[in-house]
Amino acid sequence: MPDKSAHKAHGHEHHRRRLSSPALYINREVSQVAFIRRVLAEAQSERHPLLERVKFLAFVGSQVDEFVMVRVAGLQDQLEAGVREGGPDGMPPALLLAELRPMIKDLLAEQQATLKTVLIPALAAEGIELLDYDQLSRGQREVAAAYFRREVLPVLTPLGVDPGHPFPHISSRSLNLAVTLHDEQAGELFARVKVPASLPRLVPIGTGSKERNGSAHSNGKHAAKAQRNTFVWLEQLIAAHLDQLFPGVSVIGAHPFRVLRDADFEVQSDEAGDLLETVEQGLRERRFGSVVAVVVQAGTPKSVRHLLHENLEVGDADLISLEGPLGLEDLTQLTDLDRPDLKDVPLQATVPPELRRQDIFSAISKGDLLLHHPYDSFSSVADFIELAARDPNVVAVKQTLYRVGQNSPIVRALLEANERGKQVAVLVELKARFDEENNIEWARMLERAGVHVVYGQVDLKTHAKVALVVRRELGGLRRYVHLGTGNYNAITARVYEDFALLTARPEIAEDATQLFNALTGYARGVTYQKLLVSPGTLRPGLLRRIEREIERHKAGGRGHLIFKTNNLVDAEIIHALYRASQAGVRVDLLVRGICSLRPGMEGVSENIRVTSLVGRFLEHSRIYYFEGGGVEEDEVLVGSADLMPRNLDSRVEVLFPIEDRALREQITQVVLPAYLRDTANAWRLLPDGNYERVKPPKGEEPFDVQAWFAHEAHPHREPAPPLALHATEPPAAPAAMASA
């Protein structure tokens, strides 16, 4: 008699192997480059004001730098270590590097072309001129020369390279000039001049006014006077005056170049005696990390390229040659210009009426509050900590800090709370990449003031956003909690979209207490009543809920999952979503950045739709919605965790439930349906891994969800019209998907 259980087990194993097929996964690095391309498309789009397009273009530069210094560097490390296996997509490091290098070069070349052919002419038409040095008039050259003598020359340090002067260290991301010289006695010479980062990259050489027809504020009805600003590139100004650095020697040429070094350092548990000192040592090593790429200008002579190859120890594949100025992230300087007509209209963030009528503790005592930044002002979060610092009834404040920024009102409030004798404990995550130095500075300041500062666990980054305030009230001690998806950073809160919950629910407060005890002390086997915490309960909690949705769909026929996240890479989560699709569950994924899941594959993912939103604000919140299959109550989890192995297994992350029915309905009936309706910021992921813009139906205007939240639908302005999830069109697979 056949063994049915064995047959069933064999079927499950076959099913598992099928879902593990590399053909079902998009490589994460390739997907990340695709995201940067979507950002570049925003720089090319006329739907944004001109200086906002410049900002997008600059962001492309910083994103490519970080990608090369972290992801490409990691692949090179794998290659050197002899790693031959790939990730879920099956692409080994050698093959992946060979595919990525031309993609990066093409991306940077398109960035340069966009600046030259699109943005520079558009800026000139608005009175903002970015000129090459050889385009300057005689009068402008005189102004530039005076600026050079006064501001630049005293800062420069020419470094010769010869047997007595070894090739200097080139710091990562710095802009440099490779200078070739000729001396009557010594012959050909070489020197390096570093372009000072302390000076403006775009040197102002003229201002004035020009007539222009209309403005953003006059609706084009009246002529307006605009300020004319003229700039020249700093490296070109230096190159034009190198004779003052090398008197008596003939300058043959000056060729800009940049170096990108490995920026990824890991703290190992067996080498971290003092975490603060270990991270500081890692920062020093980052400045001397191995060279990953060298970027030069087209036209750089072979002799200079060969010298850079030899001294920086890079191969031909690691050299990127570009037309035009290098390091375009410096273009953000233009956004400081006083040209509101060329920028987005400033967002008027609101404060919830509950907080305008009473103090924040009284408001939270009456019910949970849900904040949606940047539409809700971050000042409400700062007020929460500042009031805790001043309130004589508050006895303790505990908080995590990941990327806090500079001049932080949060840190000032924590210092004040400590001065007023309250128990203050702060977990400062030192390992927040590229924010380490800033966080070290804050940590030391807090320590000097007597605050209890801990640095998290050596092998785990603490990425959770949690603040706990303990207050003495008539009935005894009561705890108030802030849980968020974004950092405690007042600057990024203006441009990052995030959610935050303010609550005094006893079970959540107890969980927050347990979490801080685990972070600051020693704890094993901690259990949480409401929170999902990684590593530990978060991964199994999400997987269990996906499986529950499958079962409830079978019972009620109305299964629906909506996940809004920054990145989706984790293979186990992707397996579960594929199984949900195969069971008939509708799956809507709002994945801003990297997505390794391949939607629209027949028999696997035809019920899955993946959308990326790229707009004025950086979509940063993580929301996980489980409808309940039409037979049980829906559930909404919000928090700090993306769907990546590092977030689920190697970081301290928190997802928290939205238990208040009215707040949950705000997310399920307003927020998520609005995101799914967007036709202005949305890109649809196709089965082949490419993205296409989502277009509005014929005859309809594009629907911009960010503008809608800002001006029409915000619950703290006027009641928002409900948009039931069931009214949203189900994800229909294009005909092309069947053959993918």
Side-chain angles (χ1 to χ4, degrees), residues 504-523:
R505 291 179 180 268
E507 291 172 316
I508 290 180
E510 177 63 29
D511 282 356
T513 300
Q514 291 275 64
L515 175 64
F516 277 108
N517 288 343
L519 292 174
T520 61
Y522 299 101

PDB file of all heavy atoms in Angstrom, residues 504-523:
ATOM      1  N   ALA A 504      -0.073  54.552  25.700  1.00  0.00           N
ATOM      2  CA  ALA A 504       0.150  54.190  27.099  1.00  0.00           C
ATOM      3  C   ALA A 504      -0.453  52.818  27.393  1.00  0.00           C
ATOM      4  O   ALA A 504      -0.691  52.472  28.561  1.00  0.00           O
ATOM      5  CB  ALA A 504      -0.463  55.243  28.021  1.00  0.00           C
ATOM      6  N   ARG A 505      -0.701  52.023  26.368  1.00  0.00           N
ATOM      7  CA  ARG A 505      -1.269  50.683  26.563  1.00  0.00           C
ATOM      8  C   ARG A 505      -0.329  49.861  27.456  1.00  0.00           C
ATOM      9  O   ARG A 505       0.864  49.735  27.146  1.00  0.00           O
ATOM     10  CB  ARG A 505      -1.482  49.984  25.225  1.00  0.00           C
ATOM     11  CG  ARG A 505      -2.590  50.605  24.391  1.00  0.00           C
ATOM     12  CD  ARG A 505      -2.751  49.898  23.054  1.00  0.00           C
ATOM     13  NE  ARG A 505      -3.823  50.524  22.292  1.00  0.00           N
ATOM     14  CZ  ARG A 505      -5.103  50.127  22.311  1.00  0.00           C
ATOM     15  NH1 ARG A 505      -5.437  49.062  23.033  1.00  0.00           N
ATOM     16  NH2 ARG A 505      -6.014  50.759  21.607  1.00  0.00           N
ATOM     17  N   PRO A 506      -0.842  49.287  28.540  1.00  0.00           N
ATOM     18  CA  PRO A 506       0.030  48.604  29.511  1.00  0.00           C
ATOM     19  C   PRO A 506       0.855  47.471  28.912  1.00  0.00           C
ATOM     20  O   PRO A 506       2.032  47.317  29.244  1.00  0.00           O
ATOM     21  CB  PRO A 506      -0.956  48.079  30.559  1.00  0.00           C
ATOM     22  CG  PRO A 506      -2.133  49.000  30.460  1.00  0.00           C
ATOM     23  CD  PRO A 506      -2.241  49.355  29.011  1.00  0.00           C
ATOM     24  N   GLU A 507       0.266  46.687  28.014  1.00  0.00           N
ATOM     25  CA  GLU A 507       1.010  45.547  27.469  1.00  0.00           C
ATOM     26  C   GLU A 507       2.162  46.016  26.577  1.00  0.00           C
ATOM     27  O   GLU A 507       3.263  45.452  26.619  1.00  0.00           O
ATOM     28  CB  GLU A 507       0.062  44.639  26.691  1.00  0.00           C
ATOM     29  CG  GLU A 507      -0.937  43.908  27.586  1.00  0.00           C
ATOM     30  CD  GLU A 507      -1.979  43.171  26.798  1.00  0.00           C
ATOM     31  OE1 GLU A 507      -2.513  43.746  25.829  1.00  0.00           O
ATOM     32  OE2 GLU A 507      -2.260  42.003  27.137  1.00  0.00           O
ATOM     33  N   ILE A 508       1.928  47.050  25.769  1.00  0.00           N
ATOM     34  CA  ILE A 508       3.005  47.580  24.929  1.00  0.00           C
ATOM     35  C   ILE A 508       4.068  48.231  25.799  1.00  0.00           C
ATOM     36  O   ILE A 508       5.277  48.077  25.556  1.00  0.00           O
ATOM     37  CB  ILE A 508       2.442  48.569  23.889  1.00  0.00           C
ATOM     38  CG1 ILE A 508       1.611  47.808  22.853  1.00  0.00           C
ATOM     39  CG2 ILE A 508       3.566  49.351  23.214  1.00  0.00           C
ATOM     40  CD1 ILE A 508       0.994  48.679  21.774  1.00  0.00           C
ATOM     41  N   ALA A 509       3.648  48.945  26.842  1.00  0.00           N
ATOM     42  CA  ALA A 509       4.610  49.575  27.754  1.00  0.00           C
ATOM     43  C   ALA A 509       5.452  48.528  28.469  1.00  0.00           C
ATOM     44  O   ALA A 509       6.664  48.713  28.659  1.00  0.00           O
ATOM     45  CB  ALA A 509       3.869  50.446  28.762  1.00  0.00           C
ATOM     46  N   GLU A 510       4.833  47.420  28.853  1.00  0.00           N
ATOM     47  CA  GLU A 510       5.578  46.340  29.497  1.00  0.00           C
ATOM     48  C   GLU A 510       6.592  45.742  28.527  1.00  0.00           C
ATOM     49  O   GLU A 510       7.740  45.460  28.890  1.00  0.00           O
ATOM     50  CB  GLU A 510       4.612  45.258  29.984  1.00  0.00           C
ATOM     51  CG  GLU A 510       5.283  44.043  30.622  1.00  0.00           C
ATOM     52  CD  GLU A 510       6.056  44.384  31.884  1.00  0.00           C
ATOM     53  OE1 GLU A 510       5.673  45.352  32.583  1.00  0.00           O
ATOM     54  OE2 GLU A 510       7.037  43.677  32.176  1.00  0.00           O
ATOM     55  N   ASP A 511       6.172  45.585  27.262  1.00  0.00           N
ATOM     56  CA  ASP A 511       7.100  45.067  26.249  1.00  0.00           C
ATOM     57  C   ASP A 511       8.280  46.013  26.049  1.00  0.00           C
ATOM     58  O   ASP A 511       9.429  45.575  25.905  1.00  0.00           O
ATOM     59  CB  ASP A 511       6.368  44.878  24.924  1.00  0.00           C
ATOM     60  CG  ASP A 511       5.510  43.613  24.897  1.00  0.00           C
ATOM     61  OD1 ASP A 511       5.554  42.849  25.880  1.00  0.00           O
ATOM     62  OD2 ASP A 511       4.811  43.395  23.890  1.00  0.00           O
ATOM     63  N   ALA A 512       8.005  47.322  26.015  1.00  0.00           N
ATOM     64  CA  ALA A 512       9.082  48.298  25.838  1.00  0.00           C
ATOM     65  C   ALA A 512      10.060  48.240  27.005  1.00  0.00           C
ATOM     66  O   ALA A 512      11.282  48.342  26.824  1.00  0.00           O
ATOM     67  CB  ALA A 512       8.500  49.698  25.691  1.00  0.00           C
ATOM     68  N   THR A 513       9.533  48.055  28.202  1.00  0.00           N
ATOM     69  CA  THR A 513      10.398  47.918  29.379  1.00  0.00           C
ATOM     70  C   THR A 513      11.285  46.684  29.252  1.00  0.00           C
ATOM     71  O   THR A 513      12.490  46.737  29.519  1.00  0.00           O
ATOM     72  CB  THR A 513       9.541  47.827  30.646  1.00  0.00           C
ATOM     73  OG1 THR A 513       8.748  49.014  30.765  1.00  0.00           O
ATOM     74  CG2 THR A 513      10.418  47.690  31.883  1.00  0.00           C
ATOM     75  N   GLN A 514      10.683  45.569  28.853  1.00  0.00           N
ATOM     76  CA  GLN A 514      11.446  44.336  28.661  1.00  0.00           C
ATOM     77  C   GLN A 514      12.532  44.526  27.603  1.00  0.00           C
ATOM     78  O   GLN A 514      13.659  44.034  27.747  1.00  0.00           O
ATOM     79  CB  GLN A 514      10.505  43.207  28.231  1.00  0.00           C
ATOM     80  CG  GLN A 514       9.543  42.740  29.316  1.00  0.00           C
ATOM     81  CD  GLN A 514      10.188  41.708  30.226  1.00  0.00           C
ATOM     82  OE1 GLN A 514      11.153  42.013  30.929  1.00  0.00           O
ATOM     83  NE2 GLN A 514       9.676  40.498  30.205  1.00  0.00           N
ATOM     84  N   LEU A 515      12.192  45.246  26.523  1.00  0.00           N
ATOM     85  CA  LEU A 515      13.157  45.472  25.451  1.00  0.00           C
ATOM     86  C   LEU A 515      14.354  46.269  25.961  1.00  0.00           C
ATOM     87  O   LEU A 515      15.513  45.904  25.699  1.00  0.00           O
ATOM     88  CB  LEU A 515      12.483  46.207  24.291  1.00  0.00           C
ATOM     89  CG  LEU A 515      13.397  46.611  23.135  1.00  0.00           C
ATOM     90  CD1 LEU A 515      13.974  45.386  22.443  1.00  0.00           C
ATOM     91  CD2 LEU A 515      12.644  47.485  22.131  1.00  0.00           C
ATOM     92  N   PHE A 516      14.114  47.345  26.693  1.00  0.00           N
ATOM     93  CA  PHE A 516      15.223  48.154  27.195  1.00  0.00           C
ATOM     94  C   PHE A 516      16.063  47.371  28.201  1.00  0.00           C
ATOM     95  O   PHE A 516      17.294  47.504  28.240  1.00  0.00           O
ATOM     96  CB  PHE A 516      14.712  49.458  27.803  1.00  0.00           C
ATOM     97  CG  PHE A 516      14.474  50.531  26.782  1.00  0.00           C
ATOM     98  CD1 PHE A 516      13.192  50.913  26.443  1.00  0.00           C
ATOM     99  CD2 PHE A 516      15.536  51.150  26.146  1.00  0.00           C
ATOM    100  CE1 PHE A 516      12.966  51.898  25.495  1.00  0.00           C
ATOM    101  CE2 PHE A 516      15.333  52.133  25.193  1.00  0.00           C
ATOM    102  CZ  PHE A 516      14.038  52.511  24.862  1.00  0.00           C
ATOM    103  N   ASN A 517      15.414  46.551  29.029  1.00  0.00           N
ATOM    104  CA  ASN A 517      16.185  45.725  29.962  1.00  0.00           C
ATOM    105  C   ASN A 517      17.096  44.755  29.212  1.00  0.00           C
ATOM    106  O   ASN A 517      18.234  44.505  29.628  1.00  0.00           O
ATOM    107  CB  ASN A 517      15.237  44.949  30.883  1.00  0.00           C
ATOM    108  CG  ASN A 517      14.558  45.858  31.897  1.00  0.00           C
ATOM    109  OD1 ASN A 517      14.997  46.991  32.129  1.00  0.00           O
ATOM    110  ND2 ASN A 517      13.480  45.385  32.497  1.00  0.00           N
ATOM    111  N   ALA A 518      16.589  44.228  28.092  1.00  0.00           N
ATOM    112  CA  ALA A 518      17.405  43.318  27.287  1.00  0.00           C
ATOM    113  C   ALA A 518      18.553  44.065  26.607  1.00  0.00           C
ATOM    114  O   ALA A 518      19.651  43.523  26.452  1.00  0.00           O
ATOM    115  CB  ALA A 518      16.535  42.623  26.241  1.00  0.00           C
ATOM    116  N   LEU A 519      18.312  45.310  26.200  1.00  0.00           N
ATOM    117  CA  LEU A 519      19.330  46.082  25.494  1.00  0.00           C
ATOM    118  C   LEU A 519      20.425  46.593  26.427  1.00  0.00           C
ATOM    119  O   LEU A 519      21.595  46.663  26.040  1.00  0.00           O
ATOM    120  CB  LEU A 519      18.687  47.272  24.770  1.00  0.00           C
ATOM    121  CG  LEU A 519      17.766  46.944  23.591  1.00  0.00           C
ATOM    122  CD1 LEU A 519      17.089  48.211  23.080  1.00  0.00           C
ATOM    123  CD2 LEU A 519      18.543  46.264  22.466  1.00  0.00           C
ATOM    124  N   THR A 520      20.042  46.970  27.635  1.00  0.00           N
ATOM    125  CA  THR A 520      21.025  47.587  28.538  1.00  0.00           C
ATOM    126  C   THR A 520      21.642  46.595  29.511  1.00  0.00           C
ATOM    127  O   THR A 520      22.674  46.886  30.116  1.00  0.00           O
ATOM    128  CB  THR A 520      20.373  48.730  29.341  1.00  0.00           C
ATOM    129  OG1 THR A 520      19.298  48.200  30.143  1.00  0.00           O
ATOM    130  CG2 THR A 520      19.819  49.798  28.423  1.00  0.00           C
ATOM    131  N   GLY A 521      21.009  45.441  29.695  1.00  0.00           N
ATOM    132  CA  GLY A 521      21.528  44.466  30.653  1.00  0.00           C
ATOM    133  C   GLY A 521      21.728  43.114  30.003  1.00  0.00           C
ATOM    134  O   GLY A 521      22.167  43.004  28.856  1.00  0.00           O
ATOM    135  N   TYR A 522      21.415  42.075  30.751  1.00  0.00           N
ATOM    136  CA  TYR A 522      21.530  40.709  30.252  1.00  0.00           C
ATOM    137  C   TYR A 522      20.159  40.054  30.366  1.00  0.00           C
ATOM    138  O   TYR A 522      19.526  40.103  31.418  1.00  0.00           O
ATOM    139  CB  TYR A 522      22.547  39.902  31.060  1.00  0.00           C
ATOM    140  CG  TYR A 522      23.945  40.472  31.004  1.00  0.00           C
ATOM    141  CD1 TYR A 522      24.450  41.227  32.055  1.00  0.00           C
ATOM    142  CD2 TYR A 522      24.751  40.255  29.889  1.00  0.00           C
ATOM    143  CE1 TYR A 522      25.729  41.759  32.008  1.00  0.00           C
ATOM    144  CE2 TYR A 522      26.022  40.780  29.833  1.00  0.00           C
ATOM    145  CZ  TYR A 522      26.511  41.527  30.892  1.00  0.00           C
ATOM    146  OH  TYR A 522      27.772  42.054  30.828  1.00  0.00           O
ATOM    147  N   ALA A 523      19.689  39.480  29.274  1.00  0.00           N
ATOM    148  CA  ALA A 523      18.373  38.844  29.296  1.00  0.00           C
ATOM    149  C   ALA A 523      18.370  37.687  28.310  1.00  0.00           C
ATOM    150  O   ALA A 523      18.902  37.805  27.203  1.00  0.00           O
ATOM    151  CB  ALA A 523      17.285  39.851  28.939  1.00  0.00           C
TER     152      ALA A 523
END
